[in-house]
Amino acid sequence: MENKKTKAFDLELFKRLLQYIKPYRLVFFGSLLCVIGLAVFGVLRPLVLQEAIDNHVKVQDYNGFVMYIIAMLVLLILEVVSQLLFIYYASWLGQSVVKDIRVKLYNHVLRFRMKYYDTSSVGVLITRTVTDMERIADIFGQGLFMIFSDLLKMLVVAGAMVYINWKLSLIAFVTMPIVLFATKIFQKYMKRAFEEVRTEVSNLNSFVQERVTGMKILQLFTREDTEFKKFKDINERHKKGWLKTVWYNSIFFPIADLLSSITLGSIIWVGGLMVVIQGTATEGNLFAFIMFVPMLFRPLNQIANKFNTLQMGMVAADRVFKVLDTTSQIDDSGSEVATEFKGDISFKNVHFSYVQDEEVLKGISLDVKAGQTVAIVGATGAGKSTIINLLNRFYDINDGTICIDGTDIKNLTLQSLRSQIAVVLQDVFLFADTILNNITLKNDDISEEQVIQAAKDIGIHNFISSLPNGYHYNVKERGAMLSSGQRQLISFLRAYVTNPSILILDEATSSVDSYSEQLMQDATDKITQGRTSIVIAHRLATIQQADQIIVMDAGEIVEKGTHDQLLKVENGYYRNLYEVQFLKAEAV
C-alpha cells in the first residue's frame, strides 16, 4: 500500500483545500461552465467541417459551404470567449482562496509560543507564507480546472469519434491505455521529485535569509568564501531536484507525441483505404478524425503537464496545512480582563525548563510590591531573562504559580496581560518604517501629539527632532539608520507611551555610549515613577537605588535585599560582583 508521501494524489488533502472555495461558489461554478463551453465548442468545429465537406464541398455548393465556414467562425469566437473568461476567473478564484489561507496562516503563526520560533527556521516559515502560497494558487488557475477541461474534452471527442466511425475510433483507442499507464507512472515520480524540490527551496530560502541577516559577522570574520561554497552545495542540490523533473518530462512527452503521431498516421492510412477502396467512410469523416486525434492526445499531454502544477500545489498545500495544524499556541483560556494592575507580583515555587529535564528555574519564589523598582542580577544563564518571558507568558511554567495583584496570570486573557506590561530589551528590534510607527506600532489609540509629549517628558524629543523628517524618519530594516543607543531610546519611548502598569528593562543600557546612557538613565527615572519596575542589569551602578535587589545563580535566588544590605554580607555573591566591577572601573 502506498503511503501518503508517494501517493500520486492525496484526495483527503484535496477535499480540505476545496473547503476554501465555499465563499466563492458562484465564481467556481461559472468557471466550470466556461470549461464545459471549451469542450463543447472545440468538438463541434470538426463536426461542422465534416458536414461542410461531405454535403457542400463534394457537390460544389458554394453558398452552403460559406454558411458552415461562418458557423465554424462563430464556434471559434465562442471558444475564445470561454477561454478568456475561464483563465481570468479561475486565476481570480485561486488568488482569492490563497488570500484567505495566507491570512489564516499568518494569524495562526502570530500566536505561536516562543518555543516554536526557537526551533523553527525563519526561512522555512517565509517559504510557507509566500512561495508555497503561489503554488496553491496555481492549482486553481492552471491545475484543477485545466485538468477537468482536458478530461471533459477527451470524453466528448471520444464520444464524437465513436458516433462518426467506430472502426476508425478503435485505432485511436488502442494506444490510449499505453499513454494512460505512462501518465500514471509519470505522476507518481513527479510527486516525489516536487517534494524534493520544495524541500530544497526551503533550505535555500532559510540559508540565504540567515546569511543576509548576519552579513556583518561573515565579513568581519572573512567567511565569504566558506559561505559561498556552502551556498553552491545547497544550490547544486536544488538544481538536481529540478533536473529530476526535467528528466521525467523529457521521457514522457516524446513518448506521448510519438504515440499520437503513430495513431494519426494509422488513421490516415486506414481511413484513406476505407474512403477509396471500401467506401465505408467519407472524406468528411477523415478530415474530422485528423482534427480529433490531436484533440484527443494533446489533452493527455496537457493533463500530465498540468498535473505537475497540481502536484506542486498539493505538496505546497500539505506543507502549509502542517503549519496550520501545529498546536503551539499559549493556552489563552483565561477569562479575566485586566484593565489596570496595581503592580503586586508574586512568584511561588516556580519551576521551568526550555528543554525537558533541564531546569532553568529551580523553584524560585519572590514578591514585588506595587510601585517598587526591583533589580535582578546574576551571571549569564542564571535565569534572569527567563523571569521576564514567564511573566509575559511567552512560555508556560512547569510548576508553581505566577500572580499579579493576587490573580494567577493563566486566568487573565493574554491580550490584557501583555497590554499592561511594557518591556525594553537589550536587542531592540525596529521595523523598516518611520520612528512614529515604530513607537506606536500603528496603534490608533496613540496619537502623534501624545508621542511628541511623551518624548519631551523623558528628554529625547530633541534627538528625534534632529533627524531628517523627525518622527517620520524611516529607520530602514531593523533600524539600520540609527545607532544602538538611539534604537534603545526609541524602545524606551515605545514602552512609555503605552502607559504600562508594569515596566521591565532587560539589560537596556548594557551596550551604549555614556551620552546615550545618561539620556536613558534620565528616561528610566521618569518612566519608572509610580509603577512597578523590574530591571535586569549587569552594571551594578545603574541599580543601586533599587528598592530590592534579587541575586540569581544557576536558576536559583541566592540573595535578596537592598544595595547597602547586600554589601554587608560577608563573601556574598552580590558583594563579590560589586567589588569586581568597581575594581575594574578604578583600574581603567
Side-chain angles (χ1 to χ4, degrees):
M1 184 177 179
E2 290 178 313
N3 58 35
K4 184 176 179 179
K5 193 172 184 67
T6 58
K7 240 181 349 183
F9 189 76
D10 190 337
L11 185 58
E12 291 303 315
L13 177 64
F14 189 67
K15 287 180 180 178
R16 182 176 180 182
L17 193 59
L18 289 181
Q19 295 298 313
Y20 290 90
I21 292 179
K22 287 183 178 180
Y24 312 105
R25 291 189 188 93
L26 187 62
V27 176
F28 177 75
F29 288 114
S31 299
L32 286 181
L33 190 62
C34 291
V35 166
I36 295 171
L38 280 172
V40 172
F41 298 139
V43 171
L44 283 176
R45 284 190 291 112
L47 295 177
V48 171
L49 178 62
Q50 174 194 325
E51 290 295 317
I53 291 173
D54 287 343
N55 298 327
H56 300 283
V57 173
K58 288 176 66 175
V59 298
Q60 298 182 344
D61 179 9
Y62 175 77
N63 292 330
F65 178 70
V66 169
M67 291 301 297
Y68 274 95
I69 294 300
I70 293 173
M72 287 186 67
L73 182 61
V74 171
L75 288 172
L76 182 60
I77 292 172
L78 290 173
E79 188 176 0
V80 169
V81 170
S82 297
Q83 189 166 14
L84 186 150
L85 293 174
F86 160 69
I87 291 173
Y88 176 79
Y89 283 108
S91 298
W92 183 92
L93 178 64
Q95 291 300 325
S96 298
V97 168
V98 161
K99 180 206 69 175
D100 293 344
I101 299 176
R102 185 184 282 122
V103 168
K104 183 176 181 179
L105 177 66
Y106 188 68
N107 186 50
H108 188 68
V109 169
L110 279 175
R111 285 158 177 75
F112 280 157
R113 63 181 72 188
M114 288 299 110
K115 186 176 181 180
Y116 179 87
Y117 296 105
D118 293 340
T119 58
S120 300
S121 165
V122 174
V124 169
L125 286 175
I126 291 172
T127 301
R128 300 292 173 270
T129 311
V130 181
T131 310
D132 284 343
M133 285 299 177
E134 292 307 314
R135 299 288 77 78
I136 294 175
D138 290 340
I139 290 178
F140 301 96
Q142 302 175 31
L144 171 66
F145 288 115
M146 290 301 295
I147 291 174
F148 180 74
S149 173
D150 290 338
L151 286 174
L152 183 61
K153 185 176 290 187
M154 287 172 60
L155 289 174
V156 175
V157 166
M161 291 171 72
V162 171
Y163 174 76
I164 294 172
N165 193 309
W166 67 270
K167 293 180 180 179
L168 285 177
S169 301
L170 288 178
I171 298 174
F173 297 159
V174 165
T175 55
M176 289 292 290
I178 302 173
V179 177
L180 290 172
F181 178 75
T183 302
K184 182 176 177 60
I185 299 298
F186 173 72
Q187 292 166 354
K188 180 178 177 180
Y189 282 94
M190 286 299 288
K191 171 75 178 297
R192 292 177 180 173
F194 282 134
E195 284 178 339
E196 184 177 335
V197 167
R198 297 313 307 157
T199 298
E200 294 305 330
V201 167
S202 295
N203 292 339
L204 194 61
N205 285 346
S206 180
F207 182 89
V208 172
Q209 185 272 335
E210 194 171 56
R211 269 58 183 183
V212 170
T213 302
M215 187 60 68
K216 182 181 291 186
I217 297 298
L218 297 185
Q219 294 184 355
L220 279 171
F221 290 91
T222 64
R223 304 301 294 170
E224 295 95 333
D225 291 341
T226 302
E227 295 301 321
F228 179 64
K229 289 176 182 177
K230 290 181 182 178
F231 177 79
K232 286 176 66 177
D233 291 340
I234 296 175
N235 208 31
E236 181 66 22
R237 293 199 302 270
H238 179 258
K239 183 193 77 172
K240 287 180 178 178
W242 272 112
L243 285 179
K244 282 187 180 180
T245 68
V246 174
W247 171 244
Y248 297 146
N249 279 315
S250 67
I251 294 174
F252 173 77
F253 288 107
I255 291 175
D257 287 340
L258 177 64
L259 290 172
S260 175
S261 298
I262 292 173
T263 302
L264 183 58
S266 300
I267 285 177
I268 293 173
W269 178 51
V270 175
L273 293 176
M274 293 173 69
V275 171
V276 176
I277 298 175
Q278 300 175 1
T280 55
T282 66
E283 290 87 344
N285 294 160
L286 193 56
F287 273 96
F289 267 78
I290 290 173
M291 291 184 68
F292 276 140
V293 169
M295 294 175 67
L296 185 66
F297 279 85
R298 191 182 302 116
L300 265 183
N301 294 355
Q302 290 178 346
I303 286 174
N305 195 26
K306 298 306 176 184
F307 204 88
N308 294 349
T309 301
L310 183 61
Q311 290 285 43
M312 288 191 72
M314 294 295 287
V315 170
D318 184 47
R319 294 173 183 274
V320 168
F321 286 139
K322 281 179 180 176
V323 178
L324 282 172
D325 292 338
T326 300
T327 54
S328 185
Q329 285 79 12
I330 288 287
D331 178 23
D332 192 14
S333 57
S335 58
E336 296 186 41
V337 178
T339 55
E340 187 177 357
F341 291 137
K342 286 194 305 179
D344 289 321
I345 302 172
S346 175
F347 281 64
K348 296 178 181 177
N349 195 30
V350 172
H351 292 260
F352 174 74
S353 57
Y354 292 104
V355 180
Q356 190 172 3
D357 299 326
E358 295 182 17
E359 279 197 335
V360 177
L361 297 183
K362 304 171 182 178
I364 70 166
S365 297
L366 64 91
D367 292 296
V368 180
K369 300 301 181 183
Q372 278 190 338
T373 295
V374 174
I376 303 176
V377 300
T380 300
K384 306 185 297 298
S385 295
T386 299
I387 289 177
I388 296 172
N389 290 332
L390 298 181
L391 188 60
N392 280 282
R393 288 199 68 201
F394 289 135
Y395 303 85
D396 274 335
I397 60 178
N398 299 344
D399 197 16
T401 56
I402 301 175
C403 298
I404 298 179
D405 295 344
T407 302
D408 192 323
I409 60 174
K410 290 185 177 179
N411 296 330
L412 300 171
T413 63
L414 277 178
Q415 195 276 335
S416 67
L417 169 69
R418 292 174 180 171
S419 66
Q420 293 299 313
I421 302 174
V423 182
V424 179
L425 297 171
Q426 176 184 4
D427 183 19
V428 178
F429 188 95
L430 297 181
F431 296 93
D433 207 333
T434 65
I435 287 179
L436 179 64
N437 287 336
N438 269 289
I439 292 168
T440 65
L441 297 178
K442 299 187 177 181
N443 184 344
D444 294 333
D445 295 332
I446 304 174
S447 67
E448 183 173 354
E449 290 72 23
Q450 287 176 292
V451 172
I452 293 173
Q453 184 58 52
K456 291 178 179 178
D457 290 343
I458 64 175
I460 65 173
H461 172 69
N462 291 338
F463 142 63
I464 297 176
S465 299
S466 67
L467 298 171
N469 298 322
Y471 289 85
H472 297 279
Y473 178 62
N474 193 312
V475 299
K476 304 301 180 184
E477 188 174 358
R478 301 181 69 88
M481 303 304 292
L482 301 178
S483 68
S484 59
Q486 290 172 329
R487 290 196 294 270
Q488 282 286 11
L489 291 171
I490 298 301
S491 181
F492 268 84
L493 184 53
R494 181 160 62 191
Y496 183 60
V497 295
T498 62
N499 192 29
S501 301
I502 298 171
L503 176 70
I504 298 172
L505 306 178
D506 185 3
E507 307 284 4
T509 63
S510 63
S511 59
V512 297
D513 58 84
S514 56
Y515 174 73
S516 296
E517 182 177 2
Q518 184 58 51
L519 284 177
M520 276 185 266
Q521 191 59 54
D522 295 341
T524 300
D525 294 339
K526 176 68 178 179
I527 66 178
T528 56
Q529 289 178 7
R531 56 172 56 90
T532 303
S533 304
I534 298 176
V535 181
I536 295 175
H538 276 129
R539 287 194 264 185
L540 304 186
T542 62
I543 59 167
Q544 294 181 20
Q545 303 304 315
D547 297 305
Q548 182 182 186
I549 298 173
I550 296 169
V551 186
M552 296 190 65
D553 183 40
E556 298 179 317
I557 295 175
V558 293
E559 292 176 356
K560 294 181 184 178
T562 64
H563 173 72
D564 292 334
Q565 289 171 342
L566 293 176
L567 284 182
K568 294 176 182 178
V569 178
E570 290 291 334
N571 296 319
Y573 194 103
Y574 180 82
R575 178 173 174 174
N576 289 335
L577 283 176
Y578 182 82
E579 289 176 350
V580 168
Q581 284 194 16
F582 278 86
L583 283 174
K584 284 183 178 179
E586 290 174 3
V588 171

